[in-house]
Amino acid sequence: MSDDRLYFRQLLCGRDIAPADMVARQMVNFCYVIGDRTSGEAVVVDPAYDVSGLLDVLAADDMSLVGVLATHYHPDHVGGDLMGYRIEGVSDLLEKTQVPVHVQ
């Protein structure tokens, strides 16, 4: 069995996605995309700050989103309001695509 089936991307918010978002740059959070290159399916872990950017990364890598894993509920991990700043997240992603969401 080949090890290259693993698809893994560690995306730094404020650099790899949401580069213009000053809050993302200051928070220094990561989103992770994990999948299987053979099936072309992936899940995103903690989709915050730039939902379109995350979906663009998947599309550029010929991967399709099949689920979300949320490690915990903080706006910088799943979206919401953080000290008066709105952060994109799971609810924004679900407006673009319907996938299961698994929350810790």
Side-chain angles (χ1 to χ4, degrees):
M1 175 184 262
S2 175
D3 289 335
D4 63 357
R5 285 184 64 173
L6 175 65
Y7 172 78
F8 179 82
R9 300 283 305 266
Q10 178 179 332
L11 305 169
L12 178 58
C13 300
R15 183 191 70 190
D16 302 319
I17 60 169
D21 187 317
M22 69 173 196
V23 176
R25 288 194 313 266
Q26 291 176 3
M27 294 299 290
V28 191
N29 286 64
F30 290 96
C31 294
Y32 299 91
V33 188
I34 305 165
D36 180 341
R37 291 183 189 279
T38 301
S39 71
E41 297 178 333
V43 297
V44 63
V45 180
D46 293 342
Y49 296 104
D50 185 4
V51 167
S52 293
L54 285 168
L55 295 174
D56 289 346
V57 166
L58 285 165
D61 291 344
D62 293 321
M63 300 293 287
S64 61
L65 184 66
V66 296
V68 171
L69 304 174
T71 60
H72 63 287
Y73 179 75
H74 282 161
D76 57 326
H77 290 265
V78 295
D81 181 70
L82 180 67
M83 298 176 289
Y85 292 98
R86 184 183 183 292
I87 298 176
E88 284 188 12
V90 173
S91 64
D92 302 282
L93 186 130
L94 292 175
E95 289 177 7
K96 296 179 179 291
T97 184
Q98 293 296 306
V99 296
V101 178
H102 306 277
V103 182
Q104 165 59 28

